[in-house]
Amino acid sequence: MTHWYEGPLAALRLRATGPDAEEDRLVTAAVVVQDLAGARPRVLRWLVSPGVTVTEEEAARHGLTRDQVERTGRWPAPVMEEVGRSLAAHAAAGRPLVVDDAPAALTLLDRELRRHRASSLGAYLAGVPLSVLDPCVLDTHLDRYRKGSRQLDALCVRYGVPAPPPHDAAEEARTAIEVVRALARVFAPRLQRLTPGELHALQEDWHTAQVRGGAARPARERADTTWPLRPRAAAAV
């Protein structure tokens, strides 16, 4: 029997102008699909001209120049449409979606869809649930007594996965898939009997416990226990 972690997985990776999922804007995005462990992945990439001024420092964080972002990046609205439709297709196919630090990434995407499409991530999914696998949440729960970082580069070291090159959202997405596969093999006795949908539900509780216990990493400094998508602030509703 092929377990879920050896089968089809997709991954989403977003890079923004800054760490604030509510206010910052998307610059690069990637969706990677791997049908079987070891198979050649399929990759979708986007470069966005975010509609706000991007400083040279912000562009450099993505391995780009300000001129590249502004001249080569696409207008945000069609990109948000394509990313939203891509995730909806994976949800409809029942394909688990690997999203490292899911509350930051999915919240950013939801706010960008609202900003540029007058819609939401939920509207694109049309009631079809995503089965999200968050490497940070999984690792923090399954190896809870290990000290040190839970960020993707640290997880690469922990699970023997080559680190991605810098500034490459697609390679980071592919690496996140490999980390989830490697993590699941290590903890197979605890994970192989669970479906991705069951794991999604468990991660909601695990993330809440991690935030309340102080295990959240700096990207979650708001201490928001909601996973994988933060609700909108009351003033923004």
Side-chain angles (χ1 to χ4, degrees):
M1 179 179 67
T2 300
H3 298 296
W4 63 263
Y5 49 84
E6 304 292 355
L9 292 176
L12 171 72
R13 187 73 169 184
L14 307 179
R15 284 178 158 271
T17 54
D20 187 342
E22 297 288 344
E23 299 297 336
D24 285 316
R25 306 299 178 91
L26 186 63
V27 176
T28 63
V31 173
V32 174
V33 182
Q34 189 180 44
D35 292 323
L36 290 170
R40 184 182 181 89
R42 304 191 301 278
V43 179
L44 292 173
R45 303 172 187 260
W46 294 270
L47 175 61
V48 184
S49 180
V52 297
T53 300
V54 176
T55 67
E56 288 292 351
E57 180 182 8
E58 289 168 343
R61 286 203 297 266
H62 308 288
L64 300 164
T65 66
R66 177 178 174 180
D67 186 66
Q68 285 175 306
V69 173
E70 293 178 348
R71 291 180 178 272
T72 310
R74 296 173 58 198
W75 189 247
V79 172
M80 303 314 156
E81 171 78 9
E82 291 166 18
V83 176
R85 286 188 178 276
S86 178
L87 296 197
H90 293 308
R95 190 173 292 119
L97 184 71
V98 177
V99 190
D100 187 50
D101 197 6
L106 295 181
T107 300
L108 171 66
L109 177 58
D110 177 79
R111 302 320 188 246
E112 286 283 63
L113 286 168
R114 293 175 186 275
R115 190 175 288 123
H116 296 290
R117 303 299 305 181
S119 188
S120 67
L121 181 57
Y124 274 78
L125 297 176
V128 179
L130 277 174
S131 292
V132 175
L133 301 168
D134 188 329
C136 179
V137 174
L138 292 169
D139 175 72
T140 302
H141 178 80
L142 295 166
D143 199 2
R144 67 183 68 182
Y145 300 112
R146 189 182 84 252
K147 297 186 183 299
S149 172
R150 307 287 176 158
Q151 296 189 44
L152 187 62
D153 55 353
L155 298 186
C156 287
V157 175
R158 166 67 178 88
Y159 295 104
V161 175
H167 314 308
D168 191 326
E171 282 300 305
E172 290 169 342
R174 183 195 60 78
T175 298
I177 289 177
E178 295 301 333
V179 165
V180 165
R181 293 195 193 280
L183 176 155
R185 292 176 190 128
V186 169
F187 294 101
R190 299 169 66 180
L191 297 180
Q192 62 188 11
R193 295 185 181 181
L194 296 169
T195 67
E198 290 169 334
L199 260 180
H200 178 107
L202 286 169
Q203 286 170 98
E204 294 184 78
D205 294 334
W206 295 348
H207 178 263
T208 296
Q210 290 162 17
V211 171
R212 290 176 176 169
R217 66 191 188 196
R220 298 174 183 158
E221 285 178 343
R222 288 178 53 191
D224 193 322
T225 61
T226 309
W227 183 96
L229 174 64
R230 297 172 186 147
R232 298 181 74 200
V237 174

